[in-house]
Amino acid sequence: MAKRALITGVTGQDGAYLADLLLKKGYTVYGTFRRLSTPNFWRLQYLGIFDKVRLMPADMNDMSSLTEAIHVANPDEVYNLAAQSFVAASFEQPISTGTISGLGVAMMLEAIRHTDPKIKFYQASTSEMYGKIGLHSIKEKKGRVLLNEKSNFSPTSPYAAAKVYAYWTTKIYREAYDMFACQGILFNHESPIRGLEFVTRKISNAVAKIHLGIEKELRLGNTKAVRDWGYAPEYVEAMWRMMQYKEPEDFVVATDRFHSVAQFAEAAFDSMDMDWKKYTKTDKKFFRPIDTDALRGDYSKAKKLLKWKPNVQFEKLVEIMVREDVKRWQNVLDGKVFPWDAPNYPTEASIITRSMKQ
Ligand code: NAP
Ligand code: F7E
């Protein structure tokens, strides 16, 4: 019988790629979305899986909806990807970030424990949990990678603090209730379906618009910040492998390479034969009250135990993202797309609600 998976946050970047991967592996895929005044299913449409994912409404603020989702989907595996995931916004909305990205995880674990503790659980943990430790590791050891599953955490944002709470809660449920609760400590991963507010997509989108004469400049914050950027479709494969591993464990997923935001911008403008310095300005608006200065991950545990390694490196990632955004904006200029909500909404009959157990 086909395995059943429930993905929270299926409308996000990772949720969409993971749904695609699991469908290809023959899973029946359930995905939760939250009620919004405007539909947000464009990523599922972009990947051509909009009509293949079984959509159900649920909110990380509302435990009853999470319990309902578990009852209805009756999953073998739950991938908890839903979060308020934008670090900058977590300074503006610290409380809701704490509820959605932290407490919501405890609600989901409780929902599973009370329904069927044999359901496997994946938590989307993050390199942001290392915070300040990242810079110290890179400076002190002259670039030698230290950020692995054993490194300490020193969160620098309400988002990271919420994720640290979720991290420990997941570990506690694993040990206290013998649940298969694993987590990936994923470093930044990007793609053409990354949210526009994150710096890589903000840059690729701006480069495309400037290249086509739609926009004139790009305003950025801390361009000295350093990140270990990977390619999202490869990272969701690592999530799945963790869930198939014989024991529930924690794994770092990264590329072991790092670049600054300035280097990302330079490479992106370069790919369109433009000089990034000519078009990029610094804007205080985009600096955070405190930032995670530098992150670089050691994925050797995932390589050894999960046989996972990244294949798309920085230069290729930049190229993929810029090329896709140029193509999209060229389509707009050619009159091929226009704003319209109707194609972006599932038919009401296809939305699964209360106790429509299948
Ligand atoms: P994303 O694109 O921002 O997607 C987040 C998802 O969470 C969306 O589907 C969003 O729904 C949903 N969500 C937000 N608030 C919710 C709520 N109150 N109730 C239910 N769903 C809610 O994030 P991503 O990049 O795919 O990341 C997936 C997960 O991995 C997140 O937990 C993130 O924190 C974590 N992570 C990401 C990275 C990375 O580099 N991408 C690295 C490490 C960890 P809407 O579409 O309605 O907004
Ligand atoms: O910022 C700097 C910014 O917003 C990266 C999330 O997926 O990865 C992501 O979090 C760096 C920061 O991602 C701008 O200050 C400069 O130092 O793209 P970002 P993030 O904060 O690293 C982690 C692993 C997650 O878990 C999160 O969910 O870039 N930066 N100028 C800027 N950042 C933005 N967004 N916009 C700027 O204009």
Side-chain angles (χ1 to χ4, degrees):
M1 216 170 69
K3 272 197 191 169
R4 299 159 76 95
L6 173 67
I7 303 172
T8 67
V10 80
T11 54
Q13 170 188 257
D14 291 6
Y17 280 127
L18 180 66
D20 189 35
L21 178 83
L22 296 182
L23 285 166
K24 285 184 179 131
K25 289 186 185 292
Y27 278 67
T28 304
V29 178
Y30 290 80
T32 70
F33 70 97
R34 56 184 172 153
R35 192 265 155 189
L36 300 170
S37 67
T38 325
N40 176 29
F41 296 97
W42 76 274
R43 293 187 174 95
L44 300 180
Q45 291 160 338
Y46 174 91
L47 297 180
I49 54 171
F50 182 46
D51 55 349
K52 298 189 180 79
V53 177
R54 299 176 184 210
L55 295 165
M56 21 185 356
D59 197 302
M60 295 306 288
N61 288 305
D62 183 341
M63 186 169 165
S64 63
S65 70
L66 301 178
T67 309
E68 188 71 12
I70 299 285
H71 276 271
V72 173
N74 187 21
D76 301 291
E77 298 172 3
V78 171
Y79 294 84
N80 185 47
L81 307 188
Q84 191 303 94
S85 75
F86 187 35
V87 173
S90 77
F91 286 100
E92 289 143 16
Q93 298 146 33
I95 296 166
S96 63
T97 302
T99 322
I100 299 165
S101 311
L103 204 57
V105 180
M107 293 192 220
M108 179 55 101
L109 283 161
E110 274 295 276
I112 293 174
R113 184 168 80 87
H114 287 291
T115 312
D116 177 3
K118 294 266 170 296
I119 296 170
K120 289 184 174 183
F121 176 78
Y122 171 88
Q123 167 58 14
S125 283
T126 168
S127 52
E128 278 298 300
M129 299 188 303
Y130 297 119
K132 287 288 169 204
I133 304 285
L135 184 63
H136 297 151
S137 316
I138 288 175
K139 268 191 179 163
E140 283 167 16
K141 301 289 171 187
K142 296 196 173 62
R144 210 185 110 208
V145 174
L146 282 183
L147 293 176
N148 62 24
E149 297 79 5
K150 295 194 173 91
S151 306
N152 292 328
F153 299 141
S154 179
T156 54
S157 67
Y159 165 76
K163 286 283 187 177
V164 170
Y165 169 81
Y167 169 90
W168 283 112
T169 305
T170 303
K171 268 178 110 71
I172 289 163
Y173 273 64
R174 178 193 305 164
E175 287 164 28
Y177 305 117
D178 200 22
M179 285 168 61
F180 191 104
C182 65
Q183 41 197 341
I185 305 174
L186 268 54
F187 283 61
N188 299 51
H189 44 282
E190 320 293 315
S191 74
I193 59 170
R194 181 63 143 151
L196 281 164
E197 67 275 40
F198 299 98
V199 78
T200 54
R201 182 82 199 293
K202 178 172 168 178
I203 294 171
S204 66
N205 186 53
V207 167
K209 290 174 88 173
I210 294 168
H211 170 71
L212 294 168
I214 304 166
E215 213 162 72
K216 290 200 163 50
E217 64 175 28
L218 166 64
R219 289 180 172 267
L220 292 173
N222 177 15
T223 52
K224 292 189 179 136
V226 165
R227 288 291 182 277
D228 176 331
W229 280 297
Y231 185 44
E234 296 186 335
Y235 282 43
V236 300
E237 168 77 30
M239 294 176 191
W240 177 76
R241 289 191 187 202
M242 283 174 220
M243 289 287 249
Q244 314 316 309
Y245 191 62
K246 58 183 183 221
E247 302 288 345
E249 292 199 18
D250 305 327
F251 292 91
V252 161
V253 179
T255 70
D256 195 353
R257 288 180 68 195
F258 62 95
H259 293 86
S260 66
V261 171
Q263 284 173 312
F264 194 103
E266 185 177 10
F269 277 98
D270 257 8
S271 72
M272 287 290 121
D273 292 325
M274 292 187 288
D275 176 3
W276 79 285
K277 288 208 169 128
K278 213 172 130 191
Y279 299 99
T280 309
K281 292 202 168 64
T282 304
D283 191 330
K284 283 202 175 102
K285 194 164 106 184
F286 299 111
F287 281 79
R288 297 170 186 177
I290 39 171
D291 204 354
T292 301
D293 304 294
L295 289 172
R296 179 180 180 186
D298 170 6
Y299 65 90
S300 45
K301 181 179 174 187
K303 189 174 174 194
K304 189 168 169 217
L305 301 184
L306 305 178
K307 313 280 176 253
W308 180 91
K309 67 176 177 58
N311 293 310
V312 174
Q313 298 294 352
F314 177 79
E315 298 73 16
K316 183 75 187 159
L317 173 69
V318 175
E319 189 200 314
I320 291 171
M321 292 180 71
V322 174
R323 202 186 330 115
E324 192 63 17
D325 274 325
V326 169
K327 197 172 95 191
R328 288 165 171 157
W329 280 107
Q330 188 60 61
N331 276 343
V332 171
L333 292 179
D334 295 344
K336 285 189 189 147
V337 291
F338 55 96
W340 187 27
D341 62 353
N344 300 333
Y345 204 65
T347 57
E348 288 193 337
S350 71
I351 299 174
I352 301 161
T353 47
R354 295 194 85 77
S355 295
M356 286 171 62
K357 210 166 173 178
Q358 296 185 352

